[in-house]
Amino acid sequence: MAICVTTMLRERGFKVTPQRLAIYNYLSSTKAHPNAETIFNDLQPVYPTMSLATVYKTMEILREIGLVQVLNIGEDSFRYDAFTENHPHVRCMSCGRVDDIDDIKAGKFVDDVASSTNYQLTGQQFYFFGVCPECQKQRKNPS
Amino acid sequence: MAICVTTMLRERGFKVTPQRLAIYNYLSSTKAHPNAETIFNDLQPVYPTMSLATVYKTMEILREIGLVQVLNIGEDSFRYDAFTENHPHVRCMSCGRVDDIDDIKAGKFVDDVASSTNYQLTGQQFYFFGVCPECQKQRKNPS
DNA sequence: CTATGTGCAAAATGTTTGCAGACGA
DNA sequence: TCGTCTGCAAACATTTTGCACATAG
């Protein structure tokens, strides 16, 4: 995996640095869809000198070479996902967690949109909102 | 339409003010999905003393009573839509415009997600990205 | 050795908040 | 009249930028 990032970076003319590897490795080892600050905080113990700006700059590069996708789920900050295959996300309105939704075929839906709009489509993002299983247990009275 | 806003506001215990009516009327008369600053700027000629904070505060109320929906299309700011029926949006990556996609049935797709996830779903947002018809004409060589 | 990357701090951007005076009900 | 709303400015949070030093290739 790490060697893949290395190759991808070099191919596009970007240098391979410990920070970039650390950020990508961290992101691809979590399912939590962290935002920049969370990534920064979680890497602090290992890279105490790394700055938040580096996280942002690195994310921009990783997005550019297609190694991460950027999520914007109606929050005030962006989240990042190393799982780049296009898949829907669902956010718990109670605890704020964001989960992947895998193995769903939106094919028909996407095709309909593609044929009904005059846009030249290049991508899509599907966001669902609700209450996650854990939060459902904790409060039987969802306000 | 305006009388509807008036009623909705009163029912929920909010006061009816010229600013709130102006903002809602402006929003429901455009298809451009403006952000707060655009709304503010466009209302300046008519309400020169209205502040940006009022736009934000009003949007929060209108969202709460279900008269507008808030869009977050991977941009740095939020957009607002007075067409509250749930429908997909598509953003032109070239000029930045955001259009509605009407008359699309995502039913099957939504049902699949609802049954495959353990979330208690309450809503969803679908965003598509591409190049709009106008921009396609202007540059035959989309990079 | 050279060009790019990092880390820091400052700036920019979008949104929220606190409060005194204004105004809808 | 009374409680809410407005407008202003300051506060806030997130992201971006500029620059001196460090480092990958």
Side-chain angles (χ1 to χ4, degrees):
Chain A
M1 204 54 136
I3 195 165
C4 173
V5 199
T6 301
T7 308
M8 300 281 284
L9 284 169
R10 288 228 180 84
E11 275 175 0
R12 298 295 217 91
F14 295 110
K15 291 190 173 171
V16 178
T17 68
Q19 291 90 337
R20 289 176 181 169
L21 296 180
I23 290 171
Y24 181 76
N25 287 337
Y26 167 78
L27 194 61
S28 57
S29 71
T30 180
K31 291 186 157 195
H33 308 87
N35 58 20
E37 193 167 10
T38 303
I39 295 170
F40 172 70
N41 288 332
D42 288 356
L43 287 178
Q44 275 294 98
V46 195
Y47 288 84
T49 73
M50 190 168 66
S51 79
L52 192 50
T54 297
V55 176
Y56 281 110
K57 287 168 183 167
T58 298
M59 281 339 222
E60 169 57 23
I61 289 173
L62 293 178
R63 184 197 60 75
E64 195 180 325
I65 65 183
L67 286 179
V68 309
Q69 66 174 301
V70 181
L71 310 182
N72 204 317
I73 318 200
E75 297 167 300
D76 42 4
S77 66
F78 291 89
R79 289 169 178 264
Y80 303 93
D81 190 345
F83 176 33
T84 52
E85 186 179 312
N86 208 297
H87 59 286
H89 291 90
V90 57
R91 173 155 72 100
C92 176
M93 303 303 280
S94 178
C95 68
R97 63 183 283 182
V98 174
D99 286 322
D100 295 311
I101 301 178
D102 302 328
D103 306 321
I104 289 291
K105 46 282 158 195
K108 180 71 169 61
F109 173 52
V110 175
D111 290 346
D112 285 350
V113 171
S115 61
S116 83
T117 179
N118 291 316
Y119 273 67
Q120 191 172 59
L121 295 183
T122 57
Q124 70 275 341
Q125 299 248 281
F126 301 140
Y127 298 121
F128 289 84
F129 306 93
V131 182
C132 74
E134 271 109 84
C135 289
Q136 286 177 48
K137 284 176 211 151
Q138 281 166 33
R139 43 165 199 161
K140 294 298 172 192
N141 53 341
S143 61
Chain B
M1 204 53 137
I3 194 165
C4 173
V5 200
T6 301
T7 308
M8 300 282 284
L9 283 169
R10 288 227 180 85
E11 276 175 359
R12 299 295 218 89
F14 295 109
K15 291 191 173 171
V16 178
T17 67
Q19 291 90 338
R20 289 176 181 170
L21 296 179
I23 289 172
Y24 181 76
N25 287 336
Y26 167 77
L27 194 60
S28 56
S29 71
T30 180
K31 291 186 157 195
H33 308 88
N35 58 21
E37 192 166 11
T38 303
I39 295 170
F40 172 70
N41 288 333
D42 288 357
L43 287 178
Q44 275 295 97
V46 194
Y47 289 84
T49 74
M50 190 168 64
S51 79
L52 192 50
T54 297
V55 176
Y56 281 110
K57 286 168 182 168
T58 298
M59 281 336 216
E60 169 57 23
I61 289 173
L62 293 177
R63 184 196 60 76
E64 195 179 324
I65 65 183
L67 286 179
V68 309
Q69 67 173 302
V70 182
L71 310 181
N72 204 318
I73 318 201
E75 296 167 302
D76 42 3
S77 67
F78 291 90
R79 289 169 177 264
Y80 303 93
D81 190 345
F83 176 34
T84 52
E85 187 181 311
N86 207 296
H87 60 285
H89 291 90
V90 56
R91 174 156 71 101
C92 176
M93 303 303 281
S94 178
C95 68
R97 63 182 285 180
V98 174
D99 286 322
D100 295 310
I101 300 178
D102 301 329
D103 306 321
I104 289 291
K105 45 284 159 195
K108 181 73 168 60
F109 173 52
V110 175
D111 290 347
D112 285 350
V113 171
S115 60
S116 84
T117 179
N118 290 315
Y119 273 68
Q120 190 173 60
L121 295 182
T122 57
Q124 71 274 340
Q125 299 248 282
F126 301 141
Y127 298 123
F128 288 84
F129 306 93
V131 182
C132 73
E134 271 110 83
C135 288
Q136 285 177 49
K137 284 175 211 150
Q138 280 166 35
R139 43 165 198 161
K140 294 298 172 190
N141 53 342
S143 59

